[in-house]
Amino acid sequence: LSYGAYTVTTTVPTNYVFSYDGDDPVVGTKANTPNSIAVTLNSTTFNAIDKDFGYKSVTGVSGVVSIDVDANGAKNIPSDIGISGVKVAIYPAGSSTKLLEVTTDSAGAYNFASVPPGNWEVKVDTTTVPAGYVFSYDADGATTGNGAVGITVAAGETTKPNIDFGYKGIASISGSIFKDINGNGAFD
């Protein structure tokens, strides 16, 4: 190369996010784009070394929050109906600090597009489940609980679908048993 000013640029690979470049050892402090490094070659700096870029893999974690129509504690497609407007969050395993929070769409679906490798817990914010519904099932097979599923995202894994949660309606029957003393068929 001739002496002069250059910009070395990379393209972020699919399912990866930026984690390091030689101009930005503390991620997020560089003013320009994280996938480029400015290099000037001259008579005193004629080799530019250690102009590195780092990327970490990310995984899409997704699922559906739905009404367990037949209340059997299992996901039934297509009869279970998605619940919109429910908040779902993902936490590092054993932590109370949210990494991300999303709201289910009109079909009850949610998606976390960029989850790095590690151990995680996906939780439903039960205060956002409509009144009259209680927990029925989740993706790890639980039929009792609070709507939380532990998952492991492996390096290089691109998708972790079907982290689903189901809620069933609360129903009741009421009435009275009475002795019909006067035989008129009425509770009087």
Side-chain angles (χ1 to χ4, degrees):
L1 293 175
S2 302
Y3 293 154
Y6 295 90
T7 300
V8 179
T9 304
T10 66
T11 301
V12 180
T14 302
N15 297 316
Y16 285 80
V17 294
F18 168 75
S19 65
Y20 172 85
D21 81 31
D23 283 352
D24 191 17
V26 178
V27 173
T29 60
K30 192 165 86 170
N32 59 357
T33 60
N35 62 337
S36 67
I37 298 174
V39 177
T40 301
L41 301 177
N42 55 40
S43 60
T44 58
T45 307
F46 50 89
N47 285 321
I49 58 172
D50 296 327
K51 301 302 179 187
D52 303 321
F53 297 90
Y55 297 94
K56 60 185 175 184
S57 65
V58 294
T59 301
V61 174
S62 61
V64 176
V65 178
S66 61
I67 297 170
D68 183 6
V69 174
D70 61 5
N72 70 345
K75 180 178 178 179
N76 299 340
I77 298 173
S79 64
D80 289 356
I81 302 166
I83 306 172
S84 66
V86 176
K87 291 183 181 178
V88 182
I90 190 164
Y91 298 78
S95 172
S96 61
T97 303
K98 292 177 198 173
L99 172 70
L100 299 166
E101 183 176 74
V102 295
T103 302
T104 58
D105 65 15
S106 62
Y110 71 90
N111 181 49
F112 300 107
S114 301
V115 179
N119 295 316
W120 303 95
E121 192 168 45
V122 180
K123 297 180 183 180
V124 170
D125 178 348
T126 57
T127 66
T128 63
V129 173
Y133 291 94
V134 295
F135 180 81
S136 179
Y137 67 85
D138 63 29
D140 62 9
T143 55
T144 60
N146 61 354
V149 173
I151 63 169
T152 298
V153 173
E157 190 172 16
T158 58
T159 183
K160 191 162 277 300
N162 302 317
I163 308 302
D164 300 326
F165 300 90
Y167 290 82
K168 61 186 173 187
I170 300 170
S172 65
I173 299 173
S174 64
S176 299
I177 298 175
F178 63 95
K179 184 174 183 180
D180 189 3
I181 296 174
N182 62 8
N184 69 353
F187 183 62
D188 48 4

